[in-house]
Structure formats: C-alpha cells, structure tokens
C-alpha cells in the first residue's frame, strides 16, 4: 500500500523575512511532520527580520537558521494551499490550487515589541 502524499502549504509575502516565516514556523510547530510547509517571497530580503527571530525565540521557536527564499512557480505548483500576505499579483496562479490571502501587518521596520504582539496573538496556544 502506498503512503498518501502529505498536504502542503506555501506561505508567501514580499520579503519572506517576517510574516511568511512566522506563519510557516507556527504551522511546522503545530503540525510537525504531518504537513509539508514552505515559505517564499516575491522579492526576498537578505535575512529574516531580526525582530521576528527574537520574538519567535521568546516563544520557543528558533528561526535563526532560516533564510528568505525566492518564490518560484515550482513551489506554487507543488503546494496544495498557497497563503499570500501582501504580495499582490506577483504570486503565480495555477488552477486547482487553493489560494488564501491573509491581511497581516508587515513587521518590516517594527521593533521586537510590535512583532511580539503579533506573534503572541496568532501563535500556538502554548505561547500565550
């Protein structure tokens, strides 16, 4: 008997340095190996936002080894669900994929306190 494919989710924001990294980390934290999780950006930054890394570290999720990744058509095609966060029309569209657009504030330029408020409002129950 073959093993069914894991469901896959792709989180996309512009820089892949904040929102999409946080969302991917939360889903990975909560779902473990039951979901394939990816994140990418339409114009990736050089590094994950340090305030995001710190806020997530405070709730027990380590993003220090993560790097922003470029959004590719292949990443979209291989995902069951694509969740966008402010990347507009730059995300490739493929019929048969489920697309969701989350309206989340961009943590770029925000300090740890602002990111912390966002992370603890939307993070895992154990983080509250």
């Amino acid at each position: 008997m073959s093993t069914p494919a894991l469901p896959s989710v792709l989180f996309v924001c512009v820089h892949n340095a904040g929102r999409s990294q946080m969302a991917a980390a939360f889903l990975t934290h909560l779902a473990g190996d039951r979901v394939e999780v990816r994140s990418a950006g339409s114009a990736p930054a050089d590094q994950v936002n340090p305030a995001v890394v710190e806020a997530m570290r405070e709730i027990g999720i380590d993003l220090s080894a993560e790097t922003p990744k470029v959004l590719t058509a292949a990443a979209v095609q291989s995902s069951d669900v694509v969740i966008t966060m402010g990347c507009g029309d730059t995300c490739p569209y493929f019929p048969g994929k489920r697309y969701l657009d989350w309206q989340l504030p961009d943590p770029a330029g925000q300090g740890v306190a602002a990111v912390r408020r966002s992370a603890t409002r939307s993070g895992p129950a154990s983080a509250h």
Side-chain angles (χ1 to χ4, degrees):
M1 209 194 247
S2 66
T3 305
L6 290 176
S8 58
V9 178
L10 171 64
F11 294 98
V12 182
C13 67
V14 176
H15 300 296
N16 190 224
R19 296 170 288 188
S20 57
Q21 290 282 349
M22 292 170 68
F26 281 132
L27 181 54
T28 299
H29 179 79
L30 294 169
D33 60 0
R34 296 182 309 254
V35 176
E36 185 175 0
V37 181
R38 300 179 185 89
S39 70
S42 54
D46 294 331
Q47 66 180 15
V48 175
N49 180 333
V52 167
V53 173
E54 175 61 20
M56 295 297 281
R57 183 197 60 75
E58 290 174 359
I59 59 173
I61 298 175
D62 184 8
L63 292 180
S64 63
E66 295 299 322
T67 57
K69 295 162 274 313
V70 69
L71 175 64
T72 64
V76 175
Q77 283 181 305
S78 61
S79 299
D80 298 311
V81 179
V82 179
I83 300 173
T84 60
M85 296 167 243
C87 66
D89 294 333
T90 61
C91 189
Y93 177 82
F94 294 97
K97 302 292 173 195
R98 182 172 182 200
Y99 290 86
L100 301 170
D101 186 46
W102 289 357
Q103 301 297 314
L104 299 173
D106 188 349
Q110 302 293 316
V112 173
V115 175
R116 185 184 299 124
R117 281 191 302 276
S118 178
T120 56
R121 275 196 304 260
S122 58
S126 62
H128 295 265

